[in-house]
Amino acid sequence: MKIDVEEKAVEQIQTPLLVVDGFEGAPASTGSAELLPAATRKTLLNLHASGELTGKALECTLVHHPPGLAALRLLVVGAGKREKFQLPHLARLAGAAVRHARCRHIHEVAWLTLARSRTPEALQHIVEGAIVGNYEPDKYRSDRASDRRVDRFVLLAGETPFSEAEKTAIARGRIIAESQNFVRNLVNEPSNRMTPTLLAEHAVAMAREFGMKSVVLGPEEIRALNMNAFWAVAQGSHEPPRLILLQYEPANAPETPIVGLIGKGVTFDTGGISLKPSQNMEEMKTDMAGGAAMLGVMRAIAQLKPPVRVKAIVPATENMPGGRAYKPGDVLTAMSGKTIEILNTDAEGRLALADALHYAKTQGCTVLIDAATLTGAVTIALGNIMTGVFGWNKEWVRRVLASAAATGERMWELPVDDDYRDLYKSSIADIANSGGRHGGAITAAMFVGEFAGETPWVHLDIAGTRWNYEEKPYLAKGPTGHPVPTLVHLLMNLNGG
Ligand code: BES
Ligand code: MN
Ligand code: ZN
């Protein structure tokens, strides 16, 4: 979708769809509806009086041939209650407008902004919402209607032209949202079309496109590095594993921090010998969402160029049962030297992450952030609304939560605490790979944290938030691309950038 800006008078805008927003209670005279000429507002006031137009959150009211305007149609998007409104909600309004247009075969949307309540951040949210809303995971549908897509989204300046800072924010929003959609494309692919090998190929092609260094290690190199925990997961599959490494090292960045972004890249999780039930097992093609998200973050920062060093590390593998698969009771020695007893081969993500985190430290990373579809337990705790955030280092946890709040992504801190350690002790090795059902998201996080050691570390359990289970007015059913905006925001603001 092309993003344009226009600075013409509202009455003269020629567009198939002009969009304004208005708050509940007075949708014809609040928000950007305020800028409409009197004749148009009169129509809206009548619609409000009749009860058709209320301004309730995400309500879409379409007016054909609106009086006083050159636009063919006017769409009023409800902004909801003014006291509940927050800046990131703009993304949802823009997404709803775009999706409303899509299914009516309208290819262009013009969004009117009110200069008084406009900031660079607000514009960034609008652009992100529009591009994210325009995404549909319909690649494999023969009947997909290619004309059900908005090709151009125009931001209208209203009374005051856009500033340079506002134009920069518009460009930033586009890059972040396109990177989120890049992630959604990777996660949407079924596992027969997104093997570890293919995921690595996508990563390398993307790195080349945006001028980043990439290295991909295969089975021999993974074994030579003593990544026995990662290898244990991989050994049962006929698909060879890949360790994907991307580096972003701008010349103007300080020596530290070096941020390691580690993403779980299980391209299919059958559970292994501890086989999962067949119900919903197809969802396990998304078990590489954390890895894909980290690739998406790299794709964005390679273009936005914040002054910070970042390395992405994605251990990519399948988790399969078979004659060569690892088994419950097996003991392995992780790259760090810790011994792990396998109690459940379905707790495979933490094994791949264990070695990837340790590897990140050997590569000089001074802070570690991982994103992983790690536990079903986190979805019991937080549903698919919020990501679980874990970490011993409160300052880094705070930074991640602050970035999440700024972008509108929902995250909630869950505890790590020494008293949970007993749950994953082993009678034969240093630790066990499962702590049972109780506090499952916490013990999984803490297991991963064992391999971060003293290095500041934040863990994001995105098992719930990776996927939108029900179509929303502003978001297609399917992969979400979460938590790309949060991590990009964090990196953009790390070195005072
Ligand atoms: N990939 C799953 C977690 C998951 C569940 C992601 C649902 C997305 C949706 C993970 O590898 C897993 O199987 N975890 C187990 C851990 C248990 C065996 C200790 C779980 O959550 O049941
Ligand atoms: Mn599993
Ligand atoms: Zn898994």
Side-chain angles (χ1 to χ4, degrees), residues 52 68 80 106 119 136 141 177 189 199 209 213 235 243 268 306 322 365 385 414 417 450 468 483 486-487:
E52 193 175 330
I106 301 169
T119 59
E136 197 62 40
R141 284 195 192 282
E189 288 294 332
L199 181 61
E209 184 180 352
K213 260 197 264 172
Q235 71 186 38
L243 187 71
F268 197 78
C365 294
I385 308 294
L414 294 172
D417 188 287
E450 300 279 346
N468 177 31
T486 297
L487 295 180

Side-chain angles (χ1 to χ4, degrees), residues 199 230 242-245 260-267 286-298 311-317 349-350 352-357 360 368-374 448 457-460 462 483 487:
L199 181 61
F230 176 30
R242 295 284 184 257
L243 187 71
I244 306 167
L245 311 163
L261 300 178
I262 299 98
K264 173 175 172 181
V266 174
T267 59
T286 66
D287 213 16
M288 35 59 80
M294 293 319 195
L295 299 179
V297 172
M298 297 304 275
K311 294 175 196 273
I313 299 170
V314 179
T317 178
R350 63 197 79 184
L353 292 175
D355 282 343
L357 260 74
L368 307 172
I369 302 176
D370 79 77
T373 48
L374 203 61
V448 174
W457 153 79
V458 181
H459 162 64
L460 304 175
I462 60 167
L487 295 180

Side-chain angles (χ1 to χ4, degrees), residues 228-229 231-237 271-275 319-332 340-348 351 428 432-434:
N228 301 312
W231 175 251
V233 180
Q235 71 186 38
S237 174
I273 296 298
S274 315
L275 194 64
N319 184 24
M320 296 288 285
R324 263 218 269 241
Y326 76 137
K327 305 178 286 299
D330 286 1
V331 172
L332 21 119
I340 304 170
E341 180 191 10
I342 303 305
L343 294 183
N344 191 323
T345 63
D346 197 10
E348 85 297 343
L351 299 171
I428 180 172
N433 83 323
S434 168

